[in-house]
Amino acid sequence: MEAQAQGLLETEPLQGRDEDAVASADFSSMLSEEEKEELKAELVQLEDEITTLRQVLSAKERHLVEIKQKLGMNLMNELKQNFSKSWHDMQTSTAYKKTHETLSHAGQKATAAFSNVGTAISKKFGDMRNSPTFKSFEERVETTVTSLKTKVGGANHGGGSFEEVLSSTAHASAQSSGGGPRRAEEEEELQC
């Protein structure tokens, strides 16, 4: 018999559908007039207590605001304090420390990698500049520039500064625009 009694009396809390069934049930027909009056009185008393508690809470909240104003605490200061506390709590958390360590280590590795890449590139450029192919190319460029300087500015320029070359080029251009046959001869020399 005890096993049947346990089956009828569930120890589990009410589920959503159970609450709906209880709310829609009409228990007023099962209560006597005396029980109804007692429940109504209890209901009025609970409502009065809730109203009183709300008034007390409101008064305490006003008192809290007054104390904070006297202490010079305002909403902005509270937000700053809350933010500072949250920031401190986050920085002292294990997850933050592990993440910070990992990112710091990754940053160090990336810095080392970039440094190695930069060194390797510099070394490759140095090797390339010292290579016979580059030396040959460099000599050809120098020869071509010297040749152009000689043709444009005359034979007296062994090296000359940039300004001198620019000036001689401008001078040569002015002369070539003035005389027709001479201009054709200069163009032939430049093409060679």
Side-chain angles (χ1 to χ4, degrees):
M1 183 89 174
E2 194 173 296
Q4 285 182 333
Q6 282 183 341
L8 294 176
L9 299 174
E10 294 183 15
T11 57
E12 298 291 320
L14 292 177
Q15 301 298 320
R17 58 182 161 69
D18 297 330
E19 290 173 356
D20 292 341
V22 169
S24 64
D26 184 20
F27 292 110
S28 60
S29 61
M30 298 184 340
L31 298 173
S32 67
E33 285 299 317
E34 187 179 311
E35 290 173 327
K36 286 181 185 178
E37 290 301 318
E38 285 177 17
L39 288 174
K40 285 181 183 178
E42 186 178 349
L43 180 65
V44 169
Q45 183 183 1
L46 283 172
E47 288 174 343
D48 287 343
E49 287 177 5
I50 289 171
T51 302
T52 303
L53 288 172
R54 284 187 180 143
Q55 290 171 347
V56 169
L57 179 62
S58 177
K60 292 211 179 256
E61 286 175 339
R62 282 193 302 272
H63 186 64
L64 176 75
V65 169
E66 290 171 4
I67 290 173
K68 284 182 177 182
Q69 286 175 344
K70 288 178 183 177
L71 292 173
M73 297 171 66
N74 59 22
L75 181 61
M76 188 56 103
N77 288 340
E78 282 187 56
L79 288 174
K80 286 179 186 177
Q81 288 174 349
N82 287 342
F83 180 76
S84 294
K85 183 181 182 312
S86 297
W87 181 250
H88 180 269
D89 291 348
M90 184 190 71
Q91 284 182 325
T92 57
S93 72
T94 306
Y96 177 84
K97 287 179 182 176
K98 285 182 181 179
T99 304
H100 181 70
E101 262 181 40
T102 302
L103 291 176
S104 177
H105 188 65
Q108 290 170 355
K109 283 188 172 186
T111 301
F114 285 132
S115 176
N116 290 341
V117 167
T119 303
I121 289 172
S122 295
K123 185 177 183 305
K124 286 291 181 187
F125 277 136
D127 292 347
M128 184 179 77
R129 186 144 195 226
N130 293 328
S131 73
T133 306
F134 188 83
K135 292 275 187 202
S136 173
F137 175 74
E138 189 175 32
E139 289 171 3
R140 286 182 191 168
V141 169
E142 285 178 12
T143 304
T144 305
V145 169
T146 305
S147 173
L148 285 174
K149 285 181 183 179
T150 304
K151 288 181 181 179
V152 171
N156 63 346
H157 289 289
S161 69
F162 177 74
E163 289 82 14
E164 291 172 347
V165 171
L166 188 61
S167 173
S168 66
T169 304
H171 181 68
S173 293
Q175 285 181 350
S176 66
S177 64
R182 187 170 185 204
R183 183 174 178 205
E185 290 174 5
E186 287 175 1
E187 286 178 4
E188 284 180 16
E189 285 181 9
L190 287 176
Q191 290 176 359
C192 293

